[in-house]
Amino acid sequence: MPSASKKRKTPWFNLPFMLVVALLVGYGLVVVYSAVSVDADYSFSRQLMGVAAGAVLMLVVWRVDYRALAGFTMVFLIINVVLILSPHIPGLGTDAGMGAKSWIKLGMQIQPGEFAKVTVVLMDASIMARYGGKLDDLREYLKALGLMLVPFLCIMTQPDLGTGLVYLFIAAVSLVAGGARPKYLLITLAVGILLVVAVFALDEVIKSSTGEYKLLKQYQRNRLLVFMNQDSNNLTDEGYNLKQAQIAIGSGGLFGKGLFNGTQHSLGLLPEAPTDFIFCVLAEELGFVGVLGLLALYIALLLICFQIAYNASDLFGTVIVMSIIGMWLFQILENIGMDCGLMPITGIPLPFVSYGSSFMVVNFIMLGMIGSVWSHKTKLGH
């Protein structure tokens, strides 16, 4: 009986979880401060505002019982469509470089597709929660898959392939964690690969008759070509970005050049240093040891989240946490991989480290969702 009252006293606080988050966010702020100190286009105070706003929202979401949201699948679907398509509203949307319309103006620029990650996670988890951990009916599987593909199709109208890939990865993890039949998952993967090949082939046919690519932007093709042939003397922006990123990482050595002493970004040689290539700034200034420190914090966070998913009170909570873990893992591997030349350049930011107030707020909301699953891990009715 005393243990029960003690449990009710602070049912929401998870010390290891919060400690790792604090260290990771603090580490990211130090690196971002160094990256933006030589670039007038970025504001460190805005990053701090993103952290502050995110921390408040995390605590609010943490105290909400996530289980009350399990039945709102269609509501989440509608919110996703509205958020992702909002940049197409005349007078509201704005171009975000390379012709992509991913932002809206509401006093400040906001990326609604970023916030849609939250409702994508909730929608996918609520879909899979219906099946009780076993989805082996083909018709139901196709229905679930179709709903999960809606956000991806919407985001590709901007187009924002990087965010679209994140949506797809969230869907894939949700299907696996939710108990979809492995045979269906393998067939879906095979069909997806065939569709990608077909898009490239069809685009070549279109170019031969019209003289230009229609299905893929030229910069998207350049990113893939650079990834596949890194040794060529490629003079495209993508080829230049990759070479400068690799130079920055390699020049850091074991202990780095020291904070604020990085030359690649301070001389303007490394493009988008505070956002897409923030890992290069960290590697150059703090070296291999600094990189290991970051990876250790990521591993600690993911392991704690795995434990929370395992102890969740229901399948809905498990899929929520596993989807967020999958999302973060994909973003970490893709961002670091593209900086090192191991993955194609997609513009996917590094969780809790890359500059971006919208990105930071969304990640804090995800932390709040995980905290909610942890603090409400008691079975309903007990």
Side-chain angles (χ1 to χ4, degrees):
M1 200 66 187
S3 61
S5 62
K6 182 179 180 181
K7 183 178 180 180
R8 285 195 297 268
K9 187 177 180 181
T10 55
W12 59 274
F13 191 71
N14 187 321
L15 182 59
F17 181 65
M18 293 299 295
L19 180 60
V20 170
V21 168
L23 291 173
L24 183 57
V25 172
Y27 197 11
L29 285 175
V30 171
V31 178
V32 166
Y33 183 71
S34 176
V36 303
S37 62
V38 293
D39 195 331
D41 292 334
Y42 298 92
S43 168
F44 183 69
S45 60
R46 182 170 179 178
Q47 186 76 349
L48 288 176
M49 289 173 59
V51 171
V56 171
L57 288 173
M58 177 190 70
L59 294 176
V60 171
V61 173
W62 194 314
R63 300 309 296 265
V64 174
D65 191 340
Y66 73 95
R67 294 171 294 192
L69 304 175
F72 291 91
T73 303
M74 297 311 298
V75 173
F76 294 135
L77 177 62
I78 294 170
I79 294 174
N80 284 332
V81 173
V82 172
L83 278 174
I84 298 170
L85 295 183
S86 61
H88 294 296
I89 299 176
L92 186 62
T94 179
D95 286 345
M98 297 184 181
K101 217 163 194 180
S102 305
W103 299 74
I104 60 174
K105 292 180 179 178
L106 290 175
M108 57 187 293
Q109 285 194 342
I110 298 174
Q111 192 173 8
E114 193 68 41
F115 287 94
K117 291 176 183 176
V118 175
T119 43
V120 166
V121 167
L122 291 171
M123 183 189 77
D124 291 356
S126 65
I127 290 172
M128 297 310 298
R130 299 176 178 178
Y131 302 106
K134 187 177 182 181
L135 177 54
D136 53 9
D137 181 83
L138 180 58
R139 181 177 297 182
E140 289 297 318
Y141 174 80
L142 292 176
K143 179 181 176 182
L145 181 63
L147 289 174
M148 292 181 183
L149 286 176
V150 171
F152 173 76
L153 296 175
C154 290
I155 201 71
M156 291 310 295
T157 65
Q158 296 183 2
D160 185 349
L161 180 60
T163 304
L165 290 175
V166 174
Y167 292 168
L168 288 181
F169 207 81
I170 291 172
V173 174
S174 297
L175 287 167
V176 173
R181 191 173 180 180
K183 176 182 176 181
Y184 298 156
L185 295 172
L186 291 175
I187 293 175
T188 303
L189 178 61
V191 171
I193 294 174
L194 290 175
L195 286 175
V196 172
V197 174
V199 167
F200 276 91
L202 182 58
D203 221 11
E204 289 293 342
V205 173
I206 293 174
K207 186 188 179 184
S208 65
S209 59
T210 64
E212 61 180 339
Y213 296 112
K214 296 292 187 180
L215 301 179
L216 293 173
K217 301 288 186 180
Q218 185 61 53
Y219 76 89
Q220 294 173 328
R221 301 184 69 89
N222 289 343
R223 288 175 172 180
L224 183 61
L225 292 173
V226 167
F227 169 69
M228 296 175 63
N229 189 15
Q230 298 180 24
D231 294 330
S232 66
N233 186 20
N234 195 302
L235 299 180
T236 65
D237 290 342
E238 290 73 20
Y240 171 83
N241 293 350
L242 178 58
K243 291 185 184 301
Q244 295 302 325
Q246 291 174 330
I247 290 172
I249 293 172
S251 65
L254 183 60
F255 297 106
K257 300 175 181 177
L259 277 174
F260 311 109
N261 292 325
T263 55
Q264 289 300 108
H265 73 90
S266 63
L267 296 177
L269 300 174
L270 183 66
E272 305 299 333
T275 54
D276 297 348
F277 294 96
I278 190 68
F279 176 77
C280 302
V281 177
L282 186 152
E284 183 182 17
E285 297 189 348
L286 301 178
F288 184 66
V289 173
V291 169
L292 287 180
L294 177 66
L295 295 179
L297 289 173
Y298 278 139
I299 292 171
L301 176 63
L302 295 178
L303 288 177
I304 293 172
C305 291
F306 269 120
Q307 185 180 31
I308 293 174
Y310 180 78
N311 293 320
S313 67
D314 57 9
L315 181 62
F316 183 47
T318 297
V319 178
I320 285 176
V321 180
M322 290 303 298
S323 297
I324 296 173
I325 291 173
M327 181 193 73
W328 282 337
L329 187 59
F330 174 70
Q331 291 175 326
I332 292 166
L333 294 177
E334 170 58 28
N335 182 276
I336 296 177
M338 76 178 189
D339 290 353
C340 298
L342 301 175
M343 300 286 281
I345 296 175
T346 58
I348 291 177
L350 192 59
F352 303 104
V353 180
S354 287
Y355 178 91
S357 54
S358 295
F359 182 62
M360 186 65 74
V361 168
V362 168
N363 280 310
F364 267 103
I365 293 174
M366 297 291 189
L367 291 172
M369 291 164 62
I370 294 173
S372 177
V373 173
W374 184 86
S375 61
H376 298 95
K377 57 188 176 182
T378 306
K379 301 289 183 181
L380 285 172
H382 288 73

